[in-house]
Amino acid sequence: MGWMLALVVVVLVHQWLPQARWLMVHMVTLGLITTSIMIWGQHFAEALLKTRLGEESRPRQLARLRLLTAGVVATIAGMLPGWPWLVVLGALAVSAALLWYAAALGAQIRAALAPRFAFTVRAYVAAACLLPVGALLGAVMAFSPGEPWQGRLMLAHQIVNVLGFVGLTVTGTLLTLWPTVLRTRIELAAATRAAGGLLGMFLAVLGAVAGALIGSTLLGCAALLAYLGSFVWVAVTLVRVGVRGVRQERRVPLAPFPILSIAAGTGWFALTTAGLLVTWWRSADAQMASSLVAADVQQLTVPFVAGFLLQVLLGTMSHLLPVTLGGGPRATTAALAVMSRGAVLRVVAYNLVVALFVLAERGTAGSGALFSALTLGTAEVAGFGSLSRVVLSLLGFAVLVSFVVLLVLAVRTSSRLRGTAVPLPTPSRPEAAASVSPARSELPSSSVGPSPSVGPPPSVGPPTGSRTGPAPAAAAPMDRRALTGALLGLGSVLGATALGGSLDRSQGSIPDAAGTAGAAAVTPTGESTTISVSMAGMRFTPDRLEVPAGNTLVIELSNDDPHDVHDLVLATGATSGRLQPGESRVLDGGVVAHDMEGWCSIVGHRAMGMTLSIVATGAAAGTAVDGGAVAAGSGADELARVGADMMAAPGPDGAVRDARLPAATGPQQRVTLEVVEVAAEIAPGVTMDAMTYGGTVVGPVLRSELGARLTVDLVNHGSMGHSLDLHAGRVSPDEAMRTIPPGEQLEYAITTDHAGIWLYHCSTMPMSVHLSAGMVGALVVPPPELAPVEREYVLVQSEHYLVPAGAPGSESATHEGALPVSPVKIAAERPDLTVFNGHATQYVHSPLEARVGERVRLWVLAAGPSRGISFHVVGGVFDTVFKEGAYLLRPGDGEGGGAQALDLAAAQGGFVELVFDEPGTYTAVNHSFVEMERGARALIRVTA
């Protein structure tokens, strides 16, 4: 209950919390679900094995729960601020608690005498042993390994936790709990046969995890197919039990909510697992398949968590808690009835809400059609704006909260009726009375665990010629109540979508009901228009598609760009997904009722002009839809500055970069630059969706000697095309600087014939976006006979332009809580931050060091993408200045001069030298103070 109440609070305040989606998902999975599994798994094991433990064992069980809770809290507390070692400690605690739990269950199995339902408890043991594997994978991910490992670990983590730990536990429980909920029997032989599927599921999980980790789509999909087959093997038996239980005549009606909720949740589990299989299989020909699947699996979070986990949990609790309260048959029956109030309404409304969110996320024409069908044609995906999502979320949230309210009422009802006998129905005729026997199977069991009756199935109807009691007559009112509840549930969802759509239109965030402002509806013609579109060179060809109004548009899309990844997103929300070079795909654009825009959503590509227009010929005038209509109206200004606390220390995940110049490397050097896309903190509390060389904003400082040979192996682990431009080399750009797709690499060799500090950067268009995202670095080539100094540091200035949270484009972030680069701000020249070596305050809280009398050399590079620097040290005077390959000032040159600043335009570099005469704290700044106030400063602590 504590986790449930905490989840309610987090849902209410989630918009003000960092990584809110991750937090809510893990509060459900790690907190609510894992705790429930440990509590009720122990309880079921005692009931099924008939090995009730003594009171002396309860302190150990409580200690396990406390260890689990501490581990979950530590994991969440470590992930939110980015403290990976705290995450590791939390994962270890969670793993220890689950292994302890598994060992305790194993001991109970060994102590049981001829246990008939040991297969369920063995499933608990196997599942509990899988969770530590998932915890280990999650802990490794907390250290943000580069691709492809981040994607592989994420996919394996999701499989082992959801399909393994939760899926195996739930399926094993249903084999014994499902007959109990239905108050019917299950044949032991049938249950034992079905339990063979549990072993198949366990082995299939291991195979799928192996496939994810080694990047084998074939192995992973084969294992998932085996998993589905094993689950269906178990489900067939459960369906037979369910049909028999529903048909069975009974005097005390079944409580409908546990049955409907568990059945609906199980259905979502099967559908979502099949969706994962299809998604993984479709990635077979794609590079970085595991990473792509891991990203796509985020679309399955809603059906897995909201559709499956919560529904099964609440359905199970709605049966077990009233039974646990006890108090006699009447009290139990009444409490079950309270928990099932409005059962059909709640289940229909909740599942429709989940289904609409899932279909809206898919963004395909088929899902759009089904979305429209579920809302009886009153709503479309294109009109499912942010306010519609809020209203519908509140409806789903209200259904979940109703469980807590009903639980309180059920406890009060059970307490009031505790110990009261259940009156048997009074038959209307004597012969009917003779046919009614007070069989215990017709009353809710007062046992606290799943104790299914074992034996031949009961008769599902009276023998021929026999008379029945009054119970069958209750079916008609129940059917009417169920129909009424279903209609009310549907009506509540339709009302919520209508209200949300009206609010969205009033805010201008979506077109009006016809799809545009004032446009008349278009009748579908039933005909299709198919157009082939090529993507290459930041252009769609053709970029104007004329379609008769009412026709269905089918786009045969091909990525003919030899190097870069592209996609196509239509203003309706339909999307092709990312296409690798040479890949083709068919996009169903749906019925075209009005003019609309399409664009490539890869960061920066739309700003480069990669858009197309769809013209509905024959449509009524005034039906044009702006391509930004879907994203408009969010209320956030896309040019608003993203601020940061410039006095705060870097976050716990922000390691301070070593600013010292690397040592000399000799005449031959070979280095590897790996392109990885990560979430990187660039100022306190500000995380950027970064593209990097080596995982850091501003790549590693390279050093080469005059006349030396430098060979760079560029490896692209990103999700789009990237490249490299070494300013120090004289090479043809055609080959060395070409863009390489994800998964490929190239060799780039130069001779460093000229001294200086040289910029290297990504040269893939749009270059300003890639540079602002962190793809810059410095190559230092010292001039000949450069005198040694006591201290030698390198400072690379870069400026960064970010999409504010909630502004158009913020939804394109690929990492939770990170802000994408803003092409709009780049074009407007409105940077948010200007920093040294990738972070605004790292050298404020960890200053550079020097001593009085030591000569300090500071290499400085203005990496841009657009701004230069006027480099100055407050309290110091430069006696040596080297800029762009030549000395401007040297000691002893006879002129007695000094310098106060080194002025560098974008892509220029040099170094300065100075000696500090007094101890103190000096500040190196960009003397263009607006840039200094955005973060371009570093402290130098000088000691005696």
Side-chain angles (χ1 to χ4, degrees):
M1 184 60 70
W3 280 112
M4 188 172 294
L5 294 177
L7 179 62
V8 170
V9 173
V10 168
V11 170
L12 293 175
V13 302
H14 73 276
Q15 60 180 328
W16 297 288
L17 297 176
Q19 302 191 52
R21 180 187 178 100
W22 183 95
L23 178 61
M24 289 186 287
V25 168
H26 284 76
M27 287 186 71
V28 171
T29 53
L30 265 184
L32 192 57
I33 299 297
T34 305
T35 302
S36 298
I37 285 175
M38 183 174 286
I39 293 173
W40 291 103
Q42 176 62 50
H43 193 81
F44 292 169
E46 294 183 26
L48 294 171
L49 300 175
K50 309 298 184 184
T51 57
R52 184 163 185 81
L53 302 180
E55 289 302 318
E56 67 278 2
S57 69
R58 303 307 172 192
R60 292 195 298 273
Q61 296 175 29
L62 290 175
R64 283 202 300 268
L65 285 174
R66 293 190 185 102
L67 179 60
L68 173 65
T69 302
V72 174
V73 171
T75 301
I76 292 175
M79 279 299 297
L80 293 183
W83 298 340
W85 289 110
L86 185 55
V87 175
V88 170
L89 291 176
L92 289 174
V94 170
S95 300
L98 266 294
L99 291 175
W100 186 2
Y101 163 74
L105 295 185
Q108 287 180 248
I109 294 175
R110 291 190 297 273
L113 299 176
R116 294 181 297 175
F117 296 101
F119 51 78
T120 291
V121 185
R122 291 193 185 98
Y124 294 166
V125 173
C129 291
L130 286 175
L131 188 63
V133 178
L136 173 63
L137 296 171
V140 173
M141 285 191 297
F143 289 90
S144 300
E147 295 292 358
W149 285 108
Q150 183 75 9
R152 293 180 180 181
L153 290 167
M154 173 69 77
L155 183 57
H157 174 75
Q158 293 161 335
I159 290 171
V160 75
N161 285 348
V162 178
L163 300 188
F165 174 61
V166 179
L168 198 58
T169 300
V170 169
T171 308
T173 300
L174 289 179
L175 271 176
T176 51
L177 179 65
W178 186 237
T180 306
V181 173
L182 292 165
R183 300 206 310 272
T184 189
R185 297 184 179 93
I186 184 172
E187 297 180 9
L188 181 59
T192 304
R193 284 196 305 270
L198 298 175
L199 177 60
M201 293 171 67
F202 177 77
L203 296 176
V205 166
L206 298 181
V209 170
L213 291 177
I214 67 175
S216 173
T217 301
L218 181 60
L219 175 59
C221 290
L224 279 186
L225 190 60
Y227 184 94
L228 270 176
S230 300
F231 177 75
V232 170
W233 177 262
V234 179
V236 168
T237 299
L238 297 178
V239 170
R240 288 173 179 167
V241 171
V243 171
R244 185 167 61 241
V246 171
R247 288 180 178 176
Q248 183 178 340
E249 293 180 1
R250 60 189 79 245
R251 288 167 297 159
V252 179
L254 294 171
F257 182 76
I259 299 171
L260 296 175
S261 187
I262 291 172
T266 306
W268 277 111
F269 178 68
L271 288 174
T272 311
T273 304
L276 174 59
L277 172 61
V278 172
T279 300
W280 203 347
W281 179 254
R282 285 180 175 174
S283 73
D285 296 329
Q287 299 169 8
M288 304 285 291
S290 296
S291 303
L292 297 174
V293 175
D296 289 338
V297 166
Q298 293 183 0
Q299 295 185 6
L300 302 178
T301 300
V302 171
F304 262 137
V305 175
F308 165 51
L309 294 180
L310 285 176
Q311 288 202 98
V312 169
L313 176 67
L314 297 186
T316 302
M317 293 299 99
S318 295
H319 173 80
L320 291 176
L321 291 175
V323 173
T324 305
L325 292 173
R330 185 176 184 184
T332 302
T333 302
L336 283 168
V338 170
M339 294 302 297
S340 285
R341 287 180 183 175
V344 177
L345 185 156
R346 289 154 60 197
V347 172
V348 169
Y350 184 78
N351 281 277
L352 277 176
V353 168
V354 174
L356 293 181
F357 270 99
V358 171
L359 293 171
E361 286 292 323
R362 297 300 297 169
T364 64
S367 62
L370 187 53
F371 183 100
S372 181
L374 289 179
T375 56
L376 304 183
T378 62
E380 296 181 355
V381 172
F384 196 52
S386 59
L387 293 178
S388 295
R389 295 170 188 265
V390 170
V391 173
L392 210 58
S393 297
L394 290 175
L395 176 60
F397 182 61
V399 173
L400 297 177
V401 171
S402 68
F403 170 84
V404 180
V405 176
L406 292 175
L407 178 59
V408 174
L409 296 177
V411 171
R412 293 177 57 185
T413 300
S414 178
S415 299
R416 188 176 67 251
L417 298 176
R418 186 174 298 275
T420 306
V422 180
L424 295 176
T426 302
S428 58
R429 296 182 299 278
E431 59 270 28
S435 69
V436 178
S437 64
R440 184 176 178 181
S441 62
E442 290 301 317
L443 298 176
S445 170
S446 61
S447 65
V448 192
S451 301
S453 299
V454 178
S459 172
V460 296
T464 303
S466 68
R467 291 178 178 268
T468 61
M478 180 59 193
D479 290 343
R480 287 195 294 271
R481 287 196 298 271
L483 178 60
T484 301
L487 292 177
L488 288 174
L490 175 61
S492 64
V493 173
L494 295 181
T497 55
L499 174 61
S502 177
L503 293 173
D504 279 318
R505 286 189 290 274
S506 69
Q507 295 295 318
S509 60
I510 62 169
D512 67 11
T516 61
V522 174
T523 302
T525 63
E527 298 181 0
S528 297
T529 299
T530 302
I531 302 176
S532 297
V533 175
S534 171
M535 302 184 292
M538 297 296 168
R539 291 292 182 272
F540 292 103
T541 307
D543 59 3
R544 177 184 171 90
L545 312 182
E546 295 189 358
V547 184
N551 277 22
T552 297
L553 173 61
V554 178
I555 301 176
E556 295 177 342
L557 195 64
S558 61
N559 185 2
D560 297 321
D561 196 309
H563 308 299
D564 220 340
V565 176
H566 297 293
D567 67 2
L568 173 59
V569 176
L570 302 182
T572 59
T575 177
S576 66
R578 293 187 174 187
L579 276 71
Q580 302 291 323
E583 190 176 0
S584 298
R585 193 167 299 165
V586 175
L587 172 61
D588 187 343
V591 175
V592 176
H594 48 73
D595 297 352
M596 72 180 81
E597 217 183 353
W599 59 87
C600 179
S601 69
I602 306 298
V603 61
H605 289 198
R606 187 179 185 182
M608 292 288 295
M610 198 168 181
T611 62
L612 60 76
S613 59
I614 299 172
V615 179
T617 59
T623 63
V625 173
D626 179 22
V630 174
S634 64
D637 181 5
E638 57 188 331
L639 287 176
R641 187 185 169 198
V642 175
D645 183 355
M646 293 302 177
M647 301 304 295
D653 202 29
V656 176
R657 288 280 295 272
D658 187 349
R660 292 175 297 178
L661 178 70
T665 55
Q668 295 286 339
Q669 182 184 181
R670 192 176 196 107
V671 298
T672 299
L673 290 180
E674 296 187 349
V675 176
V676 290
E677 296 163 9
V678 300
E681 183 183 276
I682 57 174
V686 180
T687 302
M688 179 175 68
D689 245 347
M691 310 173 193
T692 70
Y693 295 113
T696 59
V697 173
V698 178
V701 174
L702 306 179
R703 176 171 178 171
S704 183
E705 307 308 310
L706 270 178
R709 188 69 174 170
L710 172 65
T711 302
V712 178
D713 293 310
L714 180 69
V715 183
N716 187 359
H717 292 314
S719 63
M720 65 187 75
H722 292 291
S723 58
L724 176 65
D725 179 1
L726 291 168
H727 282 199
R730 293 182 296 177
V731 296
S732 169
D734 296 349
E735 179 63 23
M737 301 180 197
R738 62 184 171 86
T739 296
I740 58 173
E744 292 193 8
Q745 65 182 57
L746 64 75
E747 180 183 289
Y748 191 147
I750 62 171
T751 301
T752 51
D753 291 326
H754 302 281
I757 177 169
W758 300 89
L759 176 67
Y760 69 82
H761 64 88
C762 182
S763 59
T764 299
M765 301 296 285
M767 275 187 273
S768 58
V769 170
H770 287 244
L771 270 65
S772 179
M775 299 195 76
V776 296
L779 167 59
V780 175
V781 183
E785 300 179 1
L786 184 63
V789 293
E790 287 81 5
R791 310 274 179 170
E792 197 162 9
Y793 297 110
V794 180
L795 296 175
V796 179
Q797 176 185 284
S798 57
E799 77 261 17
H800 303 281
Y801 308 77
L802 304 173
V803 178
S810 60
E811 71 283 352
S812 66
T814 57
H815 297 89
E816 184 76 27
L819 301 177
V821 174
S822 172
V824 175
K825 285 185 178 177
I826 292 174
E829 296 192 48
R830 293 178 62 169
D832 296 294
L833 296 161
T834 306
V835 304
F836 287 149
N837 291 355
H839 196 285
T841 66
Q842 60 181 327
Y843 301 127
V844 174
H845 291 269
S846 298
L848 308 180
E849 300 287 344
R851 290 182 179 276
V852 171
E854 290 183 336
R855 177 163 290 274
V856 178
R857 180 178 297 133
L858 298 168
W859 292 86
V860 184
L861 175 67
S866 302
R867 299 298 176 101
I869 185 173
S870 174
F871 184 74
H872 170 73
V873 175
V874 178
V877 174
F878 307 142
D879 61 17
T880 304
V881 177
F882 181 92
K883 176 184 176 182
E884 284 296 286
Y887 284 98
L888 303 183
L889 177 68
R890 302 185 75 168
D893 59 6
E895 297 180 1
Q900 57 193 314
L902 170 63
D903 62 313
L904 302 170
Q908 288 189 325
F911 69 79
V912 294
E913 294 179 8
L914 73 167
V915 176
F916 296 102
D917 297 328
E918 299 177 359
T921 301
Y922 298 76
T923 306
V925 301
N926 184 336
H927 212 280
S928 174
F929 280 142
V930 67
E931 308 297 350
M932 183 270 289
E933 291 165 357
R934 292 191 183 112
R937 63 174 177 153
L939 302 186
I940 305 174
R941 182 184 294 123
V942 179
T943 56

